[in-house]
Amino acid sequence: MLCYHLPTLLQVITDFDCTVTKHHVNGTRCLSSSGVINRSPLLPPESKAAFIRLFEKYYPIEICLEIDEGEKFQHMVDWYKQARVNMMTCALKEDMIKKSIALSTIQLRDNVQDMFKMLHRNQIPVLVFSAGIGNVIEELLRKYDILYPNVEIISNFMEFSEKDGTLLGYKDLMVHPLNKNETVLGDENKYFMDLSHRDNAILLGDHTSDVQMSRGMPHTDSILKIGFLNDKISERLNRFMEVFDIVLIDDQSMDFVNQLLRVILSEHK
């Protein structure tokens, strides 16, 4: 059990969209970090329409339990490649990120700031491992004053011109929903190797493939996998219960995780 291990041996690995953020509010779906840009009113209408077509085509494939993982993997690659090509037609500028966040429906889960503050105060590393847009994640965490030094973000980062802020492209790394594991960390796997003494982890995700996020850890003792099941509950519950240790159903807060951390940390005061 994690509560019997020192906090100095613990790390947290978390997805971002619909895990750190809310899936919905009052029945209305919230935007993801990608959706903040893809659905931004600052984008040309034809570009937004193209992103919506891609989402409607590929998202059902992403969450379908009947499609073989190998086949699904290629679909995710195709989706992200096409989305990047479309993004380059949007005349996106860096200052539009902050403006698009302000105009969007993206929201952090209730009390998620408490989790980040608690982890920072106790010097517990946090890896935000996301198939979304890293620039949006970074700006959102900065907006709520929780982009602490113990937080590392591995995601899809855009590169902008230092001269006029125009989008130049993406950094080499492409993170999609099915490769959030050691395969995108490179041969050196520096992040997890630097934390090799921390062989206990709390893993948070909203997708069954998120359980792979800890695969880069060189040594593991205890990993507690917590899944947030936000929609299509009856169809997906059995699969979630197979891969996660704890499944939180339609819970748009971070209360359970915060209480768990308080128990772990209080044991060692």
Side-chain angles (χ1 to χ4, degrees):
M1 284 293 294
L2 289 173
C3 59
Y4 296 116
H5 295 277
L6 292 170
T8 53
L9 302 179
L10 178 65
Q11 60 178 295
V12 171
I13 307 167
T14 182
D15 172 52
F16 187 76
D17 294 311
C18 301
T19 300
V20 171
T21 63
K22 292 183 178 182
H23 177 271
H24 59 266
V25 175
N26 297 325
T28 300
R29 179 74 184 262
C30 296
L31 288 175
S32 65
S33 58
S34 296
V36 165
I37 303 299
N38 299 349
R39 308 292 180 96
S40 173
L42 304 179
L43 260 56
E46 60 273 16
S47 298
K48 286 198 293 182
F51 281 124
I52 290 171
R53 287 195 297 271
L54 288 172
F55 180 85
E56 291 176 344
K57 176 180 179 179
Y58 288 108
Y59 181 68
I61 296 173
E62 176 190 340
I63 65 172
C64 180
L65 300 178
E66 309 301 322
I67 299 176
D68 175 79
E69 287 294 306
E71 178 185 350
K72 188 183 290 190
F73 189 98
Q74 188 55 52
H75 282 300
M76 296 301 100
V77 172
D78 293 342
W79 181 8
Y80 275 61
K81 283 183 176 179
Q82 292 175 59
R84 288 188 172 195
V85 169
N86 189 51
M87 187 66 74
M88 296 306 297
T89 70
C90 294
L92 185 69
K93 293 204 170 186
E94 191 169 17
D95 63 357
M96 292 168 64
I97 292 177
K98 187 179 292 187
K99 294 174 183 176
S100 294
I101 289 174
L103 293 168
S104 78
T105 60
I106 194 168
Q107 289 191 37
L108 297 181
R109 281 185 181 271
D110 293 338
N111 303 317
V112 78
Q113 293 102 314
D114 294 341
M115 181 187 78
F116 277 90
K117 290 174 183 176
M118 201 182 323
L119 294 169
H120 173 246
R121 188 165 58 247
N122 289 276
Q123 299 180 320
I124 297 173
V126 182
L127 173 61
V128 177
F129 209 160
S130 174
I133 297 179
N135 311 71
V136 173
I137 295 169
E138 194 172 72
E139 184 57 43
L140 195 64
L141 295 182
R142 185 180 293 113
K143 175 182 177 181
Y144 288 97
D145 296 321
I146 52 176
L147 187 61
Y148 295 115
N150 65 313
V151 176
E152 179 81 11
I153 302 170
I154 297 178
S155 188
N156 300 288
F157 277 91
M158 298 172 171
E159 291 188 304
F160 295 90
S161 167
E162 293 183 4
K163 182 179 179 181
D164 61 4
T166 301
L167 177 65
L168 299 175
Y170 289 79
K171 295 185 179 179
D172 292 338
L173 191 65
M174 178 187 284
V175 186
H176 60 71
L178 298 186
N179 74 344
K180 292 196 298 182
N181 50 55
E182 79 281 5
T183 61
V184 299
L185 299 178
D187 295 335
E188 296 182 1
N189 188 13
K190 188 176 187 309
Y191 180 81
F192 283 124
M193 291 305 296
D194 287 347
L195 298 176
S196 59
H197 62 290
R198 292 181 179 266
D199 52 8
N200 300 298
I202 297 174
L203 183 150
L204 310 174
D206 77 305
H207 195 295
T208 54
S209 63
D210 285 338
V211 298
Q212 300 179 24
M213 294 189 297
S214 62
R215 266 180 30 188
M217 292 176 64
H219 310 289
T220 58
D221 187 351
S222 298
I223 300 179
L224 181 65
K225 302 179 179 75
I226 301 175
F228 292 88
L229 181 50
N230 298 301
D231 65 345
K232 298 187 182 299
I233 292 167
S234 59
E235 299 98 312
R236 302 166 71 199
L237 180 58
N238 287 342
R239 179 58 180 154
F240 264 65
M241 293 182 69
E242 288 175 5
V243 301
F244 288 104
D245 301 304
I246 297 170
V247 178
L248 303 175
I249 297 176
D250 196 18
D251 183 350
Q252 302 304 306
S253 77
M254 200 58 78
D255 291 345
F256 176 84
V257 178
N258 286 338
Q259 186 58 40
L260 174 65
L261 286 169
R262 291 186 186 103
V263 170
I264 293 172
L265 297 171
S266 67
E267 291 288 327
H268 299 280
K269 284 186 176 178

CSV table of all heavy atoms in Angstrom, one decimal, residues 14 27 30 32 39 84 125 251 257:
chain,number,residue,atom,x,y,z
A,14,THR,N,-0.1,11.9,-14.5
A,14,THR,CA,-1.5,12.2,-14.8
A,14,THR,C,-1.7,12.7,-16.3
A,14,THR,O,-0.9,13.4,-16.9
A,14,THR,CB,-2.0,13.3,-13.9
A,14,THR,OG1,-3.4,13.6,-14.2
A,14,THR,CG2,-1.2,14.7,-14.0
A,27,GLY,N,-24.0,19.1,-17.8
A,27,GLY,CA,-24.3,18.3,-19.0
A,27,GLY,C,-23.7,18.8,-20.3
A,27,GLY,O,-23.9,18.1,-21.3
A,30,CYS,N,-17.1,20.1,-21.9
A,30,CYS,CA,-16.1,21.2,-21.9
A,30,CYS,C,-15.1,20.9,-23.0
A,30,CYS,O,-14.9,19.8,-23.4
A,30,CYS,CB,-15.4,21.2,-20.5
A,30,CYS,SG,-16.5,21.6,-19.2
A,32,SER,N,-11.3,20.5,-24.6
A,32,SER,CA,-10.0,20.0,-24.3
A,32,SER,C,-9.0,21.0,-24.6
A,32,SER,O,-9.3,22.1,-25.1
A,32,SER,CB,-9.7,18.7,-25.1
A,32,SER,OG,-9.6,19.0,-26.5
A,39,ARG,N,-11.4,24.9,-31.7
A,39,ARG,CA,-12.8,25.5,-31.7
A,39,ARG,C,-12.8,27.0,-31.4
A,39,ARG,O,-13.8,27.6,-31.1
A,39,ARG,CB,-13.7,24.8,-30.7
A,39,ARG,CG,-13.7,23.3,-30.8
A,39,ARG,CD,-14.4,22.8,-32.1
A,39,ARG,NE,-14.4,21.3,-32.2
A,39,ARG,CZ,-15.4,20.5,-31.8
A,39,ARG,NH1,-16.5,21.1,-31.3
A,39,ARG,NH2,-15.3,19.2,-31.9
A,84,ARG,N,-2.4,18.6,-37.6
A,84,ARG,CA,-1.3,19.5,-37.7
A,84,ARG,C,-1.2,20.2,-39.1
A,84,ARG,O,-0.9,21.4,-39.1
A,84,ARG,CB,0.0,18.7,-37.5
A,84,ARG,CG,0.2,18.2,-36.0
A,84,ARG,CD,1.6,17.6,-35.8
A,84,ARG,NE,1.7,17.4,-34.3
A,84,ARG,CZ,2.9,17.1,-33.8
A,84,ARG,NH1,4.0,17.0,-34.5
A,84,ARG,NH2,3.0,16.9,-32.5
A,125,PRO,N,7.2,14.9,-7.5
A,125,PRO,CA,7.2,15.2,-8.9
A,125,PRO,C,5.8,14.8,-9.5
A,125,PRO,O,5.2,13.8,-9.2
A,125,PRO,CB,8.3,14.3,-9.5
A,125,PRO,CG,9.1,13.9,-8.3
A,125,PRO,CD,8.2,13.9,-7.1
A,251,ASP,N,-17.3,11.9,-11.8
A,251,ASP,CA,-16.8,12.7,-10.7
A,251,ASP,C,-16.0,13.9,-11.3
A,251,ASP,O,-14.9,13.6,-11.8
A,251,ASP,CB,-16.0,11.9,-9.7
A,251,ASP,CG,-15.5,12.7,-8.5
A,251,ASP,OD1,-15.7,14.0,-8.5
A,251,ASP,OD2,-15.0,12.1,-7.5
A,257,VAL,N,-8.7,12.0,-4.8
A,257,VAL,CA,-7.3,12.0,-4.9
A,257,VAL,C,-6.7,12.9,-3.8
A,257,VAL,O,-5.7,12.5,-3.2
A,257,VAL,CB,-6.8,12.5,-6.3
A,257,VAL,CG1,-5.3,12.5,-6.4
A,257,VAL,CG2,-7.4,11.6,-7.4
